[in-house]
Amino acid sequence: MGLYTKGGNKVGGMYIADGNGHSKKIGGMYYADGQGNAKKIYSSFLSAGTILYDGSSEADWKKLKFSDPQDYQLGKPLERLKNGIKVTYGDVYHGGVPGYNESITDDFTEIDHTTDQLYPISQLNNNFIVLTSKDIFGRIGNTASQNIDGKILFDLSSNVFSYKSPENLWSAWTTTYNSQIGEFSPILRIEAY
């Protein structure tokens, strides 16, 4: 059993035949309109490890300070996921580090700590996922009443996701004044799994 062209030659896979003994091999699944045109309606799944977002952009890190979720661009559509995504969260201080600082700055100081979270397709359906300090940082800051939960939202039909980092607040001081240092979690990477 198989697909044959005019003349009895067996071919494998899926082909478009023109009725004159000629055929063209195609992959995936197509919709044919009866006029010789075909539209691809199915693509293969993204392979595990495919990078969907690279969080090295300085502009994206600056969005961490906003109090509302901000939009971020994905490199590939989520509709081709087979299982879900793995998000790698980083850890940064903003303005200085807890304790004494020469001065308070507008810089980020990266901490050698990351957290991987898996989100199956069933969670990526336009519902916000709440991210607590414990979930992402593994701890809370030293002013617990001011630790702020984050949230992330994915839409399977879009190349954009929304994210608000969780925030821990820490005490810091300089020779002239005391301040609160913010601890944020930039997304370092999103990949298919």
Side-chain angles (χ1 to χ4, degrees):
M1 179 151 214
L3 183 65
Y4 292 80
T5 60
K6 189 174 180 181
N9 296 320
K10 184 176 179 180
V11 294
M14 188 177 289
Y15 287 73
I16 293 179
D18 65 4
N20 295 316
H22 303 100
S23 60
K24 179 179 178 184
K25 187 171 185 178
I26 58 175
M29 189 177 293
Y30 287 74
Y31 166 76
D33 65 3
Q35 306 295 316
N37 302 307
K39 179 181 177 185
K40 194 167 189 177
I41 56 174
Y42 177 81
S43 297
S44 60
F45 293 118
L46 294 171
S47 57
T50 299
I51 302 298
L52 304 170
Y53 173 78
D54 170 9
S56 60
S57 164
E58 185 178 334
D60 281 358
W61 281 36
K62 290 187 176 183
K63 294 179 184 178
L64 295 171
K65 299 182 288 179
F66 287 92
S67 58
D68 294 323
Q70 300 295 301
D71 287 342
Y72 296 80
Q73 189 71 38
L74 291 165
K76 298 187 184 312
L78 294 178
E79 61 194 7
R80 292 179 53 207
L81 287 172
K82 182 175 183 181
N83 300 309
I85 57 173
K86 178 171 82 170
V87 179
T88 301
Y89 295 95
D91 199 343
V92 297
Y93 292 125
H94 176 259
V97 295
Y100 180 76
N101 294 264
E102 290 291 327
S103 61
I104 300 299
T105 70
D106 197 33
D107 297 328
F108 289 101
T109 304
E110 197 165 358
I111 303 166
D112 187 20
H113 171 261
T114 62
T115 301
D116 290 335
Q117 297 282 334
L118 297 178
Y119 301 109
I121 289 175
S122 60
Q123 288 186 325
L124 308 178
N125 56 0
N126 254 341
N127 291 324
F128 272 108
I129 300 166
V130 175
L131 307 168
T132 69
S133 293
K134 272 295 214 191
D135 293 337
I136 304 304
F137 302 120
R139 64 193 185 298
I140 58 174
N142 65 344
T143 52
S145 64
Q146 296 184 53
N147 292 314
I148 303 164
D149 288 343
K151 50 189 168 181
I152 193 164
L153 176 138
F154 294 94
D155 178 351
L156 290 174
S157 64
S158 173
N159 281 20
V160 174
F161 70 96
S162 298
Y163 176 62
K164 161 69 178 94
S165 172
E167 183 179 359
N168 278 344
L169 297 174
W170 296 89
S171 292
W173 60 91
T174 67
T175 53
T176 56
Y177 66 94
N178 294 337
S179 183
Q180 291 285 324
I181 298 296
E183 182 181 15
F184 299 95
S185 182
I187 294 177
L188 303 180
R189 185 173 52 259
I190 298 177
E191 60 189 88
Y193 76 83

